[in-house]
Amino acid sequence: EIVLTQSPGTLSLSPGERATLSCRASQSVSSSYLAWYQQKPGQAPRLLIYGASSRATGIPDRFSGSGSGTDFTLTISRLEPEDFAVYYCQQYGSSLMYTFGQGTKLEIK
Amino acid sequence: EVQLVQSGAEVKKPGESLKISCKGSGYSFTSYWIGWVRQMPGKGLEWMGIIYPGDSDTRYSPSFQGQVTISADKSISTAYLQWSSLKASDTAMYYCARHQAVAGTRLDYWGQGTLVTVSS
């Protein structure tokens, strides 16, 4: 089973700053199977990025994804107040199994 | 517009049974797998399993195999998650989500969640 480790656990930044969130897999993951989600308090997760770098419908272009193999990154170029949330990476494996990272909390500094 | 609408919050006692639902609309319900995700209070997302409503093919995460039952009624575009005997540790928010496999696999639409509270 592939384990996803996200870092940092908590990231404290100010609006307007750049955020870089990391997701490391315990073994190589196909880029097609790597996605990122945003979850705000009291809300369901929302798909941001799929295929490691493709933005989902309606996602602002300040969100971008990159990476390959075992190292993937979600970057938010200029933080807006509404971007402070928890972010999860996800990989898809065999037998229709999904695995999530433990999450990174992005908080206002 | 694609929507997944889940049933409302439940409060149950240990040992009771429960079935929660997820109704899909705005797309061909029988053509997409529907998955279930657990989120315990203050914790992260856990994959439970998935069903293909077209033929009810179902796969479970090893962690949830035997603990829950996933089913679907394609005639009313609804997927279900059920427990035969709830435990306090089943207290959590449960989400359904649609599995999309075109140009990359992901869960592209999510239900609003169903909060299950199990307490004596």
Side-chain angles (χ1 to χ4, degrees), chain B residues 44-60:
Chain B
L45 306 173
E46 300 175 88
W47 180 250
M48 300 179 72
I50 194 167
I51 187 165
Y52 189 73
D55 62 5
S56 292
D57 186 4
T58 308
R59 316 286 172 85
Y60 293 93

Side-chain angles (χ1 to χ4, degrees), chain A residues 3-56:
Chain A
V3 176
L4 300 178
T5 302
Q6 293 186 239
S7 61
T10 301
L11 183 58
S12 300
L13 293 170
S14 300
E17 291 192 293
R18 180 185 187 90
T20 303
L21 287 67
S22 173
C23 177
R24 177 162 290 177
S26 58
Q27 52 188 284
S28 185
V29 172
S30 167
S31 294
S32 295
Y33 296 161
L34 197 288
W36 290 90
Y37 301 84
Q38 176 194 65
Q39 188 178 32
K40 296 180 181 179
Q43 296 186 16
R46 172 195 183 196
L47 175 67
L48 294 176
I49 300 287
Y50 64 95
S53 60
S54 296
R55 275 187 300 276

Side-chain angles (χ1 to χ4, degrees), chain A residues 74-104:
Chain A
L74 174 69
T75 301
I76 311 171
S77 58
R78 288 177 312 280
L79 286 165
E80 298 287 342
E82 63 266 28
D83 298 337
F84 293 91
V86 179
Y87 292 84
Y88 295 95
C89 60
Q90 160 254 297
Q91 74 91 24
Y92 168 78
S94 60
S95 299
L96 292 150
M97 281 282 300
Y98 282 83
T99 305
F100 296 95
Q102 83 279 18
T104 289

Side-chain angles (χ1 to χ4, degrees), chain B:
Chain B
E1 178 195 7
V2 174
Q3 283 193 308
L4 295 173
V5 178
Q6 297 185 230
S7 49
E10 302 274 2
V11 179
K12 292 288 190 179
K13 290 181 167 40
E16 292 187 330
S17 62
L18 176 65
K19 192 174 189 177
I20 63 174
S21 66
C22 169
K23 183 174 177 61
S25 62
Y27 73 101
S28 175
F29 187 73
T30 54
S31 300
Y32 291 82
W33 294 80
I34 292 286
W36 287 93
V37 175
R38 182 176 79 174
Q39 187 167 40
M40 299 180 78
K43 302 298 184 183
L45 306 173
E46 300 175 88
W47 180 250
M48 300 179 72
I50 194 167
I51 187 165
Y52 189 73
D55 62 5
S56 292
D57 186 4
T58 308
R59 316 286 172 85
Y60 293 93
S61 163
S63 299
F64 291 92
Q65 179 83 48
Q67 307 305 307
V68 297
T69 301
I70 295 171
S71 61
D73 184 341
K74 62 184 179 182
S75 70
I76 55 172
S77 301
T78 301
Y80 301 98
L81 178 65
Q82 69 180 88
W83 296 259
S84 58
S85 180
L86 286 159
K87 302 184 284 287
S89 57
D90 293 317
T91 294
M93 182 71 83
Y94 294 88
Y95 296 101
C96 63
R98 190 180 80 162
H99 167 81
Q100 170 66 267
V102 175
T105 53
R106 67 271 192 195
L107 300 167
D108 60 354
Y109 290 92
W110 292 66
Q112 82 278 19
T114 296
L115 180 62
V116 174
T117 303
V118 184
S119 175
S120 54

